Short mmCIF file of all heavy atoms in Angstrom, two decimals:
data_model
loop_
_atom_site.label_atom_id
_atom_site.label_comp_id
_atom_site.label_asym_id
_atom_site.label_seq_id
_atom_site.Cartn_x
_atom_site.Cartn_y
_atom_site.Cartn_z
N LYS A 13 -6.56 -16.41 -20.37
CA LYS A 13 -6.83 -17.78 -19.96
C LYS A 13 -8.25 -18.13 -20.40
O LYS A 13 -9.04 -17.27 -20.76
CB LYS A 13 -6.71 -17.92 -18.44
CG LYS A 13 -5.28 -17.77 -17.92
CD LYS A 13 -4.46 -18.99 -18.22
CE LYS A 13 -3.10 -18.94 -17.57
NZ LYS A 13 -2.30 -20.16 -17.87
N THR A 14 -8.57 -19.43 -20.33
CA THR A 14 -9.93 -19.87 -20.61
C THR A 14 -10.59 -20.36 -19.33
O THR A 14 -9.92 -20.68 -18.34
CB THR A 14 -9.94 -20.99 -21.66
OG1 THR A 14 -9.12 -22.07 -21.20
CG2 THR A 14 -9.42 -20.49 -22.99
N ARG A 15 -11.90 -20.38 -19.37
CA ARG A 15 -12.68 -20.81 -18.19
C ARG A 15 -12.22 -22.18 -17.71
O ARG A 15 -11.94 -23.07 -18.51
CB ARG A 15 -14.15 -20.87 -18.52
CG ARG A 15 -14.84 -19.53 -18.51
CD ARG A 15 -16.33 -19.68 -18.74
NE ARG A 15 -16.62 -20.34 -20.03
CZ ARG A 15 -17.81 -20.71 -20.41
NH1 ARG A 15 -18.85 -20.54 -19.61
NH2 ARG A 15 -18.00 -21.28 -21.58
N GLY A 16 -12.15 -22.34 -16.41
CA GLY A 16 -11.76 -23.61 -15.82
C GLY A 16 -10.28 -23.75 -15.55
O GLY A 16 -9.88 -24.60 -14.74
N GLN A 17 -9.48 -22.94 -16.21
CA GLN A 17 -8.03 -22.99 -15.97
C GLN A 17 -7.71 -22.32 -14.65
O GLN A 17 -8.55 -21.70 -14.00
CB GLN A 17 -7.27 -22.31 -17.10
CG GLN A 17 -7.27 -23.08 -18.40
CD GLN A 17 -6.36 -22.43 -19.44
OE1 GLN A 17 -6.45 -21.22 -19.70
NE2 GLN A 17 -5.48 -23.22 -20.03
N GLN A 18 -6.45 -22.43 -14.26
CA GLN A 18 -6.00 -21.71 -13.10
C GLN A 18 -4.86 -20.78 -13.51
O GLN A 18 -4.26 -20.95 -14.59
CB GLN A 18 -5.53 -22.66 -11.99
CG GLN A 18 -4.20 -23.32 -12.23
CD GLN A 18 -3.64 -23.96 -10.96
OE1 GLN A 18 -4.34 -24.13 -9.96
NE2 GLN A 18 -2.38 -24.32 -10.99
N VAL A 19 -4.59 -19.79 -12.68
CA VAL A 19 -3.57 -18.80 -13.02
C VAL A 19 -2.82 -18.39 -11.76
O VAL A 19 -3.37 -18.38 -10.65
CB VAL A 19 -4.22 -17.57 -13.69
CG1 VAL A 19 -5.11 -16.81 -12.70
CG2 VAL A 19 -3.18 -16.66 -14.28
N THR A 20 -1.56 -18.07 -11.94
CA THR A 20 -0.72 -17.57 -10.84
C THR A 20 -0.10 -16.25 -11.25
O THR A 20 0.51 -16.15 -12.31
CB THR A 20 0.39 -18.57 -10.48
OG1 THR A 20 -0.20 -19.80 -10.07
CG2 THR A 20 1.24 -18.03 -9.35
N LEU A 21 -0.31 -15.25 -10.41
CA LEU A 21 0.25 -13.93 -10.64
C LEU A 21 1.34 -13.67 -9.60
O LEU A 21 1.23 -14.12 -8.46
CB LEU A 21 -0.83 -12.85 -10.51
CG LEU A 21 -2.14 -13.09 -11.27
CD1 LEU A 21 -3.08 -11.91 -11.07
CD2 LEU A 21 -1.87 -13.33 -12.74
N SER A 22 2.35 -12.91 -10.01
CA SER A 22 3.47 -12.68 -9.12
C SER A 22 3.65 -11.20 -8.82
O SER A 22 3.38 -10.35 -9.67
CB SER A 22 4.75 -13.24 -9.76
OG SER A 22 5.86 -13.05 -8.92
N CYS A 23 4.13 -10.93 -7.63
CA CYS A 23 4.36 -9.55 -7.20
C CYS A 23 5.66 -9.47 -6.41
O CYS A 23 5.86 -10.22 -5.45
CB CYS A 23 3.21 -9.09 -6.33
SG CYS A 23 3.46 -7.48 -5.53
N SER A 24 6.53 -8.55 -6.82
CA SER A 24 7.76 -8.29 -6.07
C SER A 24 7.65 -6.92 -5.42
O SER A 24 7.55 -5.92 -6.13
CB SER A 24 8.98 -8.35 -6.99
OG SER A 24 9.19 -9.65 -7.46
N PRO A 25 7.66 -6.85 -4.09
CA PRO A 25 7.48 -5.57 -3.42
C PRO A 25 8.75 -4.73 -3.48
O PRO A 25 9.81 -5.21 -3.90
CB PRO A 25 7.18 -5.98 -1.98
CG PRO A 25 7.90 -7.28 -1.81
CD PRO A 25 7.82 -7.96 -3.15
N ILE A 26 8.62 -3.50 -3.05
CA ILE A 26 9.78 -2.62 -2.91
C ILE A 26 10.72 -3.24 -1.87
O ILE A 26 10.26 -3.77 -0.84
CB ILE A 26 9.33 -1.22 -2.49
CG1 ILE A 26 8.56 -0.56 -3.64
CG2 ILE A 26 10.51 -0.35 -2.07
CD1 ILE A 26 7.90 0.76 -3.27
N SER A 27 12.00 -3.15 -2.14
CA SER A 27 12.98 -3.73 -1.24
C SER A 27 12.81 -3.20 0.19
O SER A 27 12.69 -1.99 0.41
CB SER A 27 14.39 -3.38 -1.74
OG SER A 27 15.37 -3.88 -0.85
N GLY A 28 12.73 -4.12 1.14
CA GLY A 28 12.55 -3.74 2.54
C GLY A 28 11.11 -3.75 3.01
O GLY A 28 10.83 -3.70 4.21
N HIS A 29 10.17 -3.77 2.07
CA HIS A 29 8.75 -3.82 2.45
C HIS A 29 8.37 -5.24 2.81
O HIS A 29 8.70 -6.20 2.10
CB HIS A 29 7.87 -3.32 1.30
CG HIS A 29 7.92 -1.84 1.11
ND1 HIS A 29 7.00 -1.16 0.34
CD2 HIS A 29 8.76 -0.91 1.61
CE1 HIS A 29 7.29 0.13 0.37
NE2 HIS A 29 8.35 0.31 1.13
N ARG A 30 7.62 -5.38 3.90
CA ARG A 30 7.25 -6.72 4.37
C ARG A 30 5.78 -7.05 4.18
O ARG A 30 5.37 -8.19 4.35
CB ARG A 30 7.62 -6.84 5.85
CG ARG A 30 9.13 -6.74 6.10
CD ARG A 30 9.44 -6.61 7.57
NE ARG A 30 9.03 -7.79 8.31
CZ ARG A 30 9.09 -7.88 9.65
NH1 ARG A 30 9.50 -6.84 10.36
NH2 ARG A 30 8.69 -8.97 10.26
N SER A 31 4.99 -6.04 3.85
CA SER A 31 3.56 -6.27 3.67
C SER A 31 3.20 -6.19 2.19
O SER A 31 3.64 -5.27 1.48
CB SER A 31 2.77 -5.22 4.45
OG SER A 31 1.40 -5.27 4.11
N VAL A 32 2.42 -7.15 1.74
CA VAL A 32 1.95 -7.16 0.35
C VAL A 32 0.44 -7.39 0.36
O VAL A 32 -0.06 -8.30 1.02
CB VAL A 32 2.62 -8.28 -0.47
CG1 VAL A 32 1.99 -8.36 -1.86
CG2 VAL A 32 4.12 -8.01 -0.59
N SER A 33 -0.27 -6.52 -0.36
CA SER A 33 -1.73 -6.64 -0.48
C SER A 33 -2.10 -6.84 -1.93
O SER A 33 -1.41 -6.35 -2.83
CB SER A 33 -2.42 -5.38 0.06
OG SER A 33 -2.15 -5.19 1.42
N TRP A 34 -3.21 -7.50 -2.15
CA TRP A 34 -3.72 -7.74 -3.51
C TRP A 34 -5.13 -7.16 -3.63
O TRP A 34 -5.95 -7.26 -2.70
CB TRP A 34 -3.78 -9.24 -3.79
CG TRP A 34 -2.44 -9.88 -4.00
CD1 TRP A 34 -1.64 -10.43 -3.05
CD2 TRP A 34 -1.75 -10.03 -5.24
NE1 TRP A 34 -0.49 -10.91 -3.62
CE2 TRP A 34 -0.53 -10.70 -4.96
CE3 TRP A 34 -2.04 -9.69 -6.56
CZ2 TRP A 34 0.40 -11.01 -5.96
CZ3 TRP A 34 -1.12 -10.02 -7.55
CH2 TRP A 34 0.09 -10.67 -7.25
N TYR A 35 -5.41 -6.59 -4.81
CA TYR A 35 -6.71 -5.99 -5.10
C TYR A 35 -7.18 -6.44 -6.49
O TYR A 35 -6.37 -6.68 -7.38
CB TYR A 35 -6.63 -4.46 -5.09
CG TYR A 35 -6.24 -3.86 -3.77
CD1 TYR A 35 -4.89 -3.76 -3.39
CD2 TYR A 35 -7.21 -3.40 -2.89
CE1 TYR A 35 -4.53 -3.21 -2.18
CE2 TYR A 35 -6.85 -2.84 -1.67
CZ TYR A 35 -5.51 -2.75 -1.33
OH TYR A 35 -5.16 -2.20 -0.13
N GLN A 36 -8.50 -6.50 -6.64
CA GLN A 36 -9.10 -6.74 -7.94
C GLN A 36 -9.82 -5.48 -8.39
O GLN A 36 -10.58 -4.90 -7.61
CB GLN A 36 -10.10 -7.90 -7.85
CG GLN A 36 -10.75 -8.27 -9.17
CD GLN A 36 -11.99 -9.13 -8.99
OE1 GLN A 36 -12.98 -8.70 -8.44
NE2 GLN A 36 -11.91 -10.38 -9.47
#
Side-chain angles (χ1 to χ4, degrees):
Chain A
K13 292 285 187 180
T14 56
R15 280 184 302 173
Q17 288 186 310
Q18 74 165 14
V19 67
T20 300
L21 312 182
S22 180
C23 172
S24 293
I26 292 172
S27 178
H29 286 194
R30 296 170 63 186
S31 170
V32 173
S33 297
W34 288 90
Y35 298 83
Q36 182 196 66

